[in-house]
Amino acid sequence: MLENFFKYIDEKEVKKNGNFYKIKIKGDSLGGQAMNDLAMSVKYIIYHEINEKIRIEIEAKIISDLATIVVFEYIIYLLLKYSNCSVYIRFRPSILKYTQSFIDGSIVGDFINSNQSFILKRKDYIHNFESEAPYTNLHRYRKLIKNDKDVNKKINKVSTDAYNFLQNQLNDEVYIEDCVEVIGELCSNATEHTKEDCILTIECGYGLNEKKQKKNILSIVVSNVSENLFYQNILHANKQGKIKVEYLDEAKQNHGHHFGEIVSDEYSIRYDEEYFYMVSAFQKGVSSRLDQSDTGGTGLLKIIYNILGKTDDNFCYILTSNKVLFLIEEFIQPKDKTFIGFNEENDYLSAIPAKKSLGKSSMSFGGTIFSLNLISDKEKNDE
């Protein structure tokens, strides 16, 4: 995991300040840029074999989303696993805008709360991160799924756990069943595309939106670290002629005319082959599972589309390396049960994705993250 996680991350020198090394993460929001800054410093600490006191100070008051905390947990795990540092973290987020619920009850949140004055909790943190036992409380469920011969049975068990967890949180049975189906599909997708373990994290909490209205947010994150990025197996299989889907080559030829074009001035995004294969992974018949060429990702997106229609707002995406594909309701409506265009025309064969569908992260994640943030007035079981 160490090499894959830091594969696309540069190093940033950390200097000693008195009797400890200090890492200061600036900025109002804890998101991709903050995680990139932290990862660069932690990579320096690990690879330069610094085994002293480390003080991490985070200025942010707002957390972008649950996926940020998942990445945070990976970084601190690697720091504790591959160094002998004593680690102290100072981070005091605001209780507004869902921020508190993202970190409360998380592995890293519990570590911060119990690890004052360089008290070493390394073994507890590493055990909790690596354990296949669920790490759960009233509003959070986290489960490591080992990708071994029993992975399908494990995913079925996780789906049952997720159903029971959400039943204690929400009253809408159909909504719960749709979410559980998505969770099972995402976990299967993650393990099949990368052949690595994955981590499921679910958070159900309250927060205030920008209008100071109280809303419920259900966040679902499936993540794994792997040398195989989300699109790579499909890219390689297609180049080797192992994907027997006629329209894939036609679409690539059409999209290829736009490779290199700037599609977003804001993020300086150039459309390329990698974005094309991210989109292609969700077309019927396109799969990295070479023995199942009749399957693809349209089913997964159809379920996600149904869920998004039941929310007041949502923020959903796939991150692999630094490439982001946003799952926007109006752009992922399945057409003829075959193509999903990720654009206004819903045209996969001849039109590239809409600008709003493509993003670029400040941090390059050495693996894949599926992140669904579903905001609604869904009634919670609080009584």
Side-chain angles (χ1 to χ4, degrees), residues 99-143:
T99 290
Q100 195 67 42
S101 62
F102 284 145
I103 195 165
D104 278 354
S106 66
I107 294 176
V108 71
D110 290 346
F111 177 79
I112 292 171
N113 292 334
S114 66
N115 196 35
Q116 304 299 315
S117 302
F118 297 113
I119 297 173
L120 188 61
K121 295 287 184 178
R122 172 183 285 104
K123 289 184 178 180
D124 289 345
Y125 189 103
I126 293 173
H127 170 77
N128 291 333
F129 191 96
E130 295 178 345
S131 174
E132 286 195 83
Y135 195 86
T136 186
N137 55 38
L138 291 177
H139 60 88
R140 179 183 298 263
Y141 175 91
R142 177 196 183 273
K143 179 72 168 70

Side-chain angles (χ1 to χ4, degrees), residues 112-341:
I112 292 171
N113 292 334
S114 66
N115 196 35
Q116 304 299 315
S117 302
F118 297 113
I119 297 173
L120 188 61
K121 295 287 184 178
R122 172 183 285 104
K123 289 184 178 180
D124 289 345
Y125 189 103
I126 293 173
H127 170 77
N128 291 333
F129 191 96
E130 295 178 345
S131 174
E132 286 195 83
Y135 195 86
T136 186
N137 55 38
L138 291 177
H139 60 88
R140 179 183 298 263
Y141 175 91
R142 177 196 183 273
K143 179 72 168 70
L144 170 67
I145 303 172
K146 294 282 189 180
N147 196 352
D148 54 25
K149 62 182 179 63
D150 296 320
V151 66
N152 291 330
K153 292 180 181 179
K154 292 178 181 180
I155 292 173
N156 289 337
K157 176 62 168 63
V158 165
S159 295
T160 301
D161 287 352
Y163 176 80
N164 293 332
F165 171 78
L166 291 176
Q167 269 205 321
N168 291 326
Q169 301 289 330
L170 301 168
N171 290 330
D172 188 329
E173 184 68 18
V174 175
Y175 184 64
I176 291 171
E177 290 177 355
D178 284 346
C179 288
V180 171
E181 190 171 0
V182 165
I183 288 167
E185 288 289 332
L186 287 177
C187 292
S188 296
N189 200 302
T191 54
E192 289 164 0
H193 275 272
T194 65
K195 309 304 180 186
E196 298 287 349
D197 304 340
C198 75
I199 297 173
L200 166 67
T201 310
I202 309 172
E203 166 65 37
C204 192
Y206 280 132
L208 301 180
N209 64 11
E210 292 180 355
K211 296 180 180 179
K212 301 298 176 72
Q213 297 169 320
K214 192 174 184 180
K215 294 285 186 177
N216 169 48
I217 181 167
L218 172 62
S219 294
I220 301 168
V221 176
V222 175
S223 62
N224 65 6
V225 173
S226 171
E227 64 178 354
N228 293 319
L229 301 178
F230 177 70
Y231 54 81
Q232 285 183 331
N233 283 349
I234 293 174
L235 185 157
H236 294 149
N238 188 50
K239 288 187 174 181
Q240 295 167 7
K242 295 180 179 179
I243 297 181
K244 307 301 182 182
V245 180
E246 293 181 0
Y247 64 73
L248 183 60
D249 290 334
E250 177 187 348
K252 185 179 179 182
Q253 183 176 5
N254 293 333
H255 284 239
H257 296 306
H258 302 279
F259 288 171
E261 288 184 6
I262 296 177
V263 294
S264 173
D265 293 329
E266 181 180 359
Y267 298 106
S268 299
I269 296 173
R270 291 183 181 273
Y271 190 58
D272 60 17
E273 186 179 52
E274 295 170 352
Y275 279 118
F276 168 74
Y277 280 107
M278 286 182 74
V279 171
S280 297
F282 291 100
Q283 311 307 320
K284 183 176 177 61
V286 179
S287 175
S288 61
R289 296 173 296 174
L290 303 180
D291 60 335
Q292 301 183 46
S293 59
D294 60 327
T295 63
T298 49
L300 171 59
L301 282 190
K302 183 178 180 180
I303 306 166
I304 293 176
Y305 176 78
N306 291 339
I307 291 175
L308 298 188
K310 299 175 182 179
T311 64
D312 299 320
D313 197 4
N314 53 76
F315 180 61
C316 306
Y317 60 89
I318 301 166
L319 167 67
T320 189
S321 182
N322 69 339
K323 294 185 181 295
V324 180
L325 180 63
F326 292 107
L327 308 181
I328 301 172
E329 183 179 356
E330 62 187 293
F331 296 155
I332 66 169
Q333 182 175 6
K335 181 179 181 181
D336 300 327
K337 298 182 180 180
T338 302
F339 300 129
I340 298 171

Side-chain angles (χ1 to χ4, degrees), residues 9-13 39-41 43-48:
I9 302 291
D10 295 326
E11 289 184 12
K12 182 180 179 180
E13 183 180 1
M40 288 195 299
S41 296
K43 182 176 182 178
Y44 179 86
I45 294 290
I46 294 172
Y47 282 80
H48 289 264

